[in-house]
C-alpha cells in the first residue's frame, strides 16, 4: 500500500460575479464569471492499493458511487491512464453542501491531481483539465489552481490576477437546487458580454441572485443582513453569500455586528489554490496554467 505524505487540500471557491449571457440550443447557459479560492477547505487522503477497488470513506453519508464525484474522478483517471491499482480515499468535509462554493468539484479536482502523482500517470495539467471537464464545468479551474475568468458554459478559462479582498462569508444552511434556478422563467439570460478589463468595475453582479432571493426567503434574509454591514453578494447559485472588505479587522468588525445565530467566518479571497502548494511538496513547481 502506497500512502500520500499528508492530506491534499480541496479549497472552496467564490464567484466574484456571475453574468448569464445567453442560452444555447442544447439548453446550457452561456456565462461569464471570475473564480477565486476561499476557505473553508476540505481535505482528502489517499492510499493506493493492489486490488482494483475505488473506495471512499468520510464525506457525504449515503452518497451513491454513481453520484460521487470523488469516485467518478478516480475511475475516469484510472481508465484514461490504464491503471490497474485501486485506491482508498478518505474525505474530511468542511465545505457546506449546496452552498455555491464548489465543494464537490474541488474534491474531484484534488482527486485527479493527487492520483495523477500517486498512480504515476504523468498527465499534464491541461490533460487533467480536459478529463475534469467531463465531471463538471467548474472542475478544471480547481485543477489549474489559479484564479480565472470563465466564458462559455464556464469551461473557457483565462488566468487572471484580481485583487484579494478580505471576506465576511455567511452560510444560510440552505441547499440550493441549481437546476431550478437556471430553469426559472425570470432568470436574466441576456447580460451583455464584458472584457476581462472590466473586472472590478461597478455593475458586476450575480444574475442568479434575484431568482434565489424569491425562491429561498432564508437566503434573502441573510443577504439583507450582510447588506447592513457591507455589499452582500451571492456566490454561484448560492446559498452562501459574502461581502468584501479592505482588511481582516474590518471584516471581523462587521462580523461582530451580525446575529450570533448566523454561521459566518472571515477569510481572504486568493488567486492561488493551496493545492499548488501541496504539489510543490511532491516536487511539482511548474504546474500548467489554463489556456483559452
Amino acid at each position: 500500500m502506497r500512502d500520500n505524505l499528508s492530506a491534499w487540500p480541496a479549497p472552496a471557491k467564490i464567484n466574484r460575479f456571475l453574468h448569464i449571457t445567453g442560452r444555447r440550443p442544447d439548453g446550457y447557459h452561456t456565462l461569464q464569471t471570475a473564480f477565486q479560492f476561499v476557505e473553508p477547505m476540505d481535505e482528502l487522503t489517499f492510499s493506493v492499493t493492489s486490488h482494483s477497488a475505488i473506495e471512499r470513506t468520510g464525506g457525504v453519508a449515503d452518497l451513491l458511487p454513481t453520484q460521487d464525484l470523488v469516485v467518478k474522478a478516480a475511475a475516469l483517471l484510472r481508465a484514461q491512464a490504464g491503471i490497474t491499482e485501486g485506491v482508498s480515499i478518505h474525505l474530511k468535509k468542511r465545505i457546506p453542501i449546496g452552498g455555491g462554493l464548489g465543494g464537490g468539484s474541488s474534491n474531484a479536482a484534488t482527486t485527479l491531481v493527487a492520483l495523477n502523482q500517486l498512480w504515476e500517470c504523468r498527465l499534464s495539467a491541461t490533460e487533467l483539465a480536459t478529463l475534469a471537464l467531463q465531471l463538471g464545468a467548474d472542475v478544471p479551474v480547481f485543477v489549474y489552481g489559479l484564479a480565472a475568468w470563465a466564458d462559455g458554459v464556464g469551461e473557457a478559462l483565462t488566468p487572471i490576477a484580481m485583487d484579494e479582498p478580505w471576506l465576511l462569508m455567511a452560510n444560510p444552511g440552505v441547499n440550493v437546487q441549481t437546476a431550478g434556478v437556471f430553469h426559472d422563467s425570470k432568470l436574466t439570460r441576456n447580460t451583455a458580454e464584458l472584457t476581462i478589463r472590466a473586472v472590478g468595475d461597478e455593475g458586476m453582479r450575480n444574475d442568479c441572485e434575484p431568482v434565489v432571493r424569491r425562491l429561498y426567503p432564508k437566503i434573502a434574509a441573510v443577504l439583507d443582513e450582510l447588506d447592513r454591514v457591507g455589499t452582500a453578494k451571492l456566490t454561484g447559485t448560492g446559498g452562501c453569500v459574502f461581502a468584501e472588505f479592505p482588511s481582516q479587522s474590518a471584516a471581523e468588525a462587521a462580523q461582530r455586528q451580525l446575529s450570533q445565530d448566523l454561521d459566518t467566518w472571515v477569510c481572504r479571497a486568493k488567486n492561488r489554490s493551496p493545492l499548488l502548494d501541496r504539489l510543490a511538496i511532491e516536487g511539482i513547481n511548474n504546474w500548467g496554467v489554463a489556456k483559452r
Side-chain angles (χ1 to χ4, degrees):
M1 181 177 291
R2 187 165 67 252
D3 298 332
N4 62 297
L5 297 175
S6 61
W8 289 74
K13 61 83 179 170
I14 58 168
N15 301 82
R16 289 288 294 273
F17 73 96
L18 177 57
H19 292 174
I20 311 301
T21 58
R23 192 173 191 176
R24 304 190 316 192
D26 61 7
Y28 284 95
H29 290 78
T30 57
L31 56 84
Q32 289 186 312
T33 190
F35 295 106
Q36 283 182 300
F37 306 101
V38 297
E39 297 174 346
M41 184 171 65
D42 291 345
E43 291 183 344
L44 295 95
T45 53
F46 302 86
S47 296
V48 174
T49 60
S50 58
H51 58 75
S52 61
I54 297 172
E55 302 169 334
R56 193 269 299 159
T57 59
V60 181
D62 301 323
L63 185 63
L64 296 175
T66 54
Q67 300 174 319
D68 189 339
L69 284 178
V70 168
V71 174
K72 291 170 72 173
L76 184 63
L77 177 62
R78 190 174 66 175
Q80 175 69 23
I83 301 298
T84 59
E85 295 174 308
V87 65
S88 176
I89 306 169
H90 182 74
L91 170 59
K92 188 172 185 179
K93 194 71 181 164
R94 298 189 182 97
I95 301 173
I97 299 168
L101 298 177
S105 295
S106 186
N107 295 159
T110 293
T111 298
L112 290 174
V113 171
L115 289 180
N116 187 49
Q117 301 303 313
L118 294 169
W119 277 339
E120 300 178 350
C121 302
R122 295 185 172 86
L123 299 184
S124 68
T126 301
E127 290 171 320
L128 279 187
T130 300
L131 283 181
L133 189 57
Q134 298 180 43
L135 300 167
D138 58 351
V139 181
V141 72
F142 289 107
V143 168
Y144 287 122
L146 298 172
W149 173 282
D151 291 289
V153 295
E155 88 292 356
L157 300 172
T158 302
I160 184 171
M162 301 181 68
D163 61 314
E164 298 181 319
W166 284 90
L167 307 172
L168 174 55
M169 306 277 299
N171 175 24
V174 177
N175 190 336
V176 173
Q177 299 301 310
T178 298
V181 174
F182 276 103
H183 285 96
D184 193 278
S185 62
K186 295 185 179 179
L187 177 67
T188 296
R189 296 182 172 88
N190 60 352
T191 297
E193 292 190 0
L194 300 174
T195 63
I196 292 178
R197 290 183 181 180
V199 172
D201 289 354
E202 293 184 6
M204 309 292 275
R205 64 186 184 276
N206 187 329
D207 286 336
C208 296
E209 184 176 318
V211 173
V212 172
R213 276 183 171 273
R214 176 171 50 82
L215 296 178
Y216 299 92
K218 188 174 181 180
I219 297 175
V222 173
L223 282 163
D224 290 341
E225 183 159 0
L226 253 69
D227 268 334
R228 293 194 298 104
V229 298
T231 301
K233 295 181 180 180
L234 188 74
T235 179
T237 55
C240 289
V241 304
F242 66 94
E244 302 172 17
F245 294 89
S247 66
Q248 181 177 0
S249 60
E252 291 173 343
Q255 183 182 32
R256 290 191 290 270
Q257 299 179 51
L258 300 179
S259 167
Q260 294 185 357
D261 294 332
L262 184 60
D263 179 13
T264 63
W265 65 97
V266 170
C267 63
R268 193 169 190 178
K270 294 288 188 178
N271 289 332
R272 176 183 167 90
S273 168
L275 182 57
L276 298 188
D277 298 326
R278 182 61 182 80
L279 274 173
I281 295 176
E282 301 294 316
I284 308 297
N285 294 297
N286 59 344
W287 194 240
V289 298
K291 300 293 186 182
R292 287 297 301 272

